[in-house]
Amino acid sequence: MDKLLIRGGRALNGEVTISGAKNAALPELCAALLTAEPVTLRNVPRLQDVATMLKLIRNMGVSAERSDDGLVLIDAGALNNPQAPYELVKTMRASVLALGPLLARFGHAKVSLPGGCAIGSRPVDQHIKGLTAMGAEIVVEHGYMVARLPAGRTRLKGARITTDMVTVTGTENFLMAATLAEGETILENAAQEPEIPDLAEMLIKMGARIEGHGTSRIRIQGVEKLHGCTHQVVADRIEAGTFLCAVAVAGGDVLAQHGRIDHLEAVVEKLRDAGVTVTAEPDGIRVQSPGAAHLKAQSFRTTEYPGFPTDMQAQFMALNAVARGASKVTETIFENRFMHVNELVRLGANIQIDGKVSMVEGVPQLSGATVMATDLRASASLVIAALVAEGETLVDRIYHLDRGYDQMETKLRALGADIERVK
């Protein structure tokens, strides 16, 4: 099992290219299942979750070829097995995104209940509720969601869907399914994350009729058939935010190419309040920081986009751990997303947990230790903390990191970090 060995104390300088967004690439790979014509995706990140999704759709009979430059060619014309088995999806919750497209195009699908990071429950009941409203019959049996259209129906039917909570994958599933449904579908309480309008723009290129994407109310007029397209995956705002926090803590001057400030406004505002200079460049975000000793701790509360993202909570907590003063971090999205706290404490951080709240008292210096990644974003927070810890830090279980970051250690090393992958 690979580990990262990090020796702290080096500033970060130079340019880093932000990869395509995992949370856009995964639904867009599933969107290619909606048509029998070839689809080309550009800027697809080299991640374990992407590899798993490609393996999953190939298992369905889909032709999927990828190259090292981020190009993926998909042809679902010969798709003959609309199933997502447990052994292929147990590590990835995004597998549920296959349900809507398969049901919409073929009228039936069998998808395993998903796995992924152990950061709390992400129930699929909203997916079932929405697709049922569109006319599907869905039962959960033996760990699988088995969905089909009623006898005599060949297409899903349009519906007004209001979810009980804001759900990103739910919005994406309904959006994809509705493109081939009969009539109009209106999604109320829709998620607004940038990955959703990016998916919608891809679907529009395929012939879908969609309005309101990027707002809480999306309107879709179903069409009988979609065609192929070429689409570029939007840059990963969470990867960009992670590098901004890394530079903030380590100090330095870095241009995050392809990053977009308008996708990270809540995080950028907190970074600026902490004493970091963040500016928009023609093709990216420039971040300049005097280093951890000059930062001021910031309290924040995670919430749905455009609020502070839960996927940046752990990374910013690592910043607070070495900044001056005390801060209060409130997690409202997932009930088990403070698993990184105990590992940060092993590095010398002063953090107390009370339910959904962590109280962080900044310390002047962290010290290297062996720590263990517990989930994707937790692993990133440990890397950030290790960049300023005195001595050596060994981060174990970095397969979590590989699920969501494209060659993070290579990118950090190019910026000047002392970091290496060890077996």
Side-chain angles (χ1 to χ4, degrees):
M1 191 179 297
D2 288 3
K3 305 176 183 181
L4 286 182
L5 178 62
I6 304 166
R7 301 173 184 89
R10 293 195 179 187
L12 303 177
N13 292 284
E15 297 183 357
V16 60
T17 299
I18 303 302
S19 302
K22 172 178 86 88
N23 290 340
L26 295 178
E28 286 164 5
L29 288 169
C30 290
L33 305 178
L34 287 163
T35 178
E37 297 182 15
V39 169
T40 300
L41 290 177
R42 302 184 184 277
N43 200 34
V44 178
R46 291 165 291 184
L47 304 174
Q48 187 57 47
D49 275 8
V50 170
T52 301
M53 185 65 81
L54 288 171
K55 189 174 181 181
L56 174 65
I57 63 176
R58 288 182 184 125
N59 189 65
M60 298 177 187
V62 175
S63 169
E65 300 176 12
R66 68 174 306 171
S67 57
D68 290 338
D69 61 357
L71 192 71
V72 175
L73 306 176
I74 308 155
D75 188 340
L79 196 159
N80 57 11
N81 183 30
Q83 297 189 39
Y86 174 73
E87 57 269 20
L88 287 179
V89 304
K90 60 185 178 183
T91 63
M92 185 181 63
R93 292 180 183 268
S95 58
V96 72
L97 291 166
L99 184 61
L102 293 175
L103 184 58
R105 183 174 161 202
F106 296 99
H108 61 98
K110 183 179 179 181
V111 176
S112 170
L113 294 171
C117 286
I119 58 174
S121 64
R122 294 191 248 192
V124 298
D125 61 330
Q126 299 300 304
H127 297 256
I128 294 173
K129 174 185 175 183
L131 293 171
T132 300
M134 298 175 73
E137 297 175 346
I138 304 177
V139 296
V140 177
E141 55 187 22
H142 308 298
Y144 282 83
M145 292 174 286
V146 181
R148 62 179 59 84
L149 293 180
R153 287 202 66 90
T154 58
R155 294 170 66 187
L156 291 168
K157 65 178 190 291
R160 181 184 295 271
I161 301 172
T162 305
T163 53
D164 299 332
M165 64 187 77
V166 177
T167 161
V168 175
T169 54
T171 299
E172 291 166 340
N173 235 339
F174 307 146
L175 181 59
M176 291 186 283
T179 60
L180 293 178
E182 188 176 327
E184 180 180 79
T185 299
I186 298 176
L187 307 182
E188 304 280 9
N189 200 27
Q192 301 175 54
E193 277 75 357
E195 296 79 20
I196 288 171
D198 194 59
L199 170 63
E201 289 300 325
M202 174 187 172
L203 293 168
I204 289 169
K205 291 175 186 175
M206 296 170 69
R209 298 170 59 193
I210 304 170
E211 297 175 354
H213 42 295
T215 75
S216 62
R217 191 172 192 266
I218 305 176
R219 185 187 299 266
I220 308 106
Q221 300 287 343
V223 298
E224 289 189 8
K225 184 180 179 182
L226 295 178
H227 52 73
C229 76
T230 297
H231 179 74
Q232 175 139 329
V233 179
V234 70
D236 194 322
R237 62 194 169 95
I238 303 302
E239 184 189 15
T242 299
F243 275 97
L244 296 189
C245 285
V247 177
V249 166
D253 183 344
V254 169
L255 174 65
Q257 291 182 318
H258 308 319
R260 291 178 53 172
I261 278 185
D262 60 326
H263 289 174
L264 279 168
E265 289 180 347
V267 175
V268 168
E269 180 181 350
K270 290 295 180 182
L271 285 169
R272 287 171 173 163
D273 290 345
V276 182
T277 301
V278 186
T279 52
E281 297 280 338
D283 186 32
I285 306 171
R286 181 169 296 281
V287 54
Q288 298 163 298
S289 173
H294 303 278
L295 301 181
K296 181 181 177 182
Q298 299 296 311
S299 296
F300 62 92
R301 178 187 183 92
T302 65
T303 186
E304 291 86 2
Y305 188 87
F308 197 101
T310 181
D311 278 354
M312 282 300 304
Q313 178 254 106
Q315 299 92 308
F316 210 100
M317 189 185 290
L319 182 155
N320 279 342
V322 292
R324 290 180 287 112
S327 58
K328 177 181 176 181
V329 176
T330 306
E331 173 60 54
T332 71
I333 306 298
F334 295 123
E335 71 274 13
N336 195 22
R337 204 160 203 181
F338 284 147
M339 291 189 292
H340 50 281
V341 169
N342 287 338
E343 302 305 303
L344 288 173
V345 169
R346 284 182 54 79
L347 296 173
N350 183 357
I351 307 173
Q352 303 293 326
I353 302 176
D354 183 7
K356 295 183 177 181
V357 176
S358 282
M359 301 301 299
V360 187
E361 185 74 41
V363 297
Q365 182 67 62
L366 298 176
S367 58
T370 298
V371 291
M372 182 178 67
T374 53
D375 63 71
L376 170 55
R377 306 307 171 184
S379 57
S381 76
L382 298 178
V383 171
I384 291 170
L387 291 174
V388 288
E390 184 179 26
E392 292 186 349
T393 298
L394 191 65
V395 183
D396 201 354
R397 292 192 181 178
I398 60 165
Y399 57 83
H400 288 294
L401 194 76
D402 294 337
R403 285 187 49 238
Y405 290 94
D406 187 348
Q407 298 182 303
M408 178 184 250
E409 77 279 6
T410 303
K411 293 180 179 182
L412 283 171
R413 191 161 52 245
L415 296 175
D418 188 345
I419 180 172
E420 61 181 305
R421 182 178 289 250
V422 296
K423 297 294 183 183

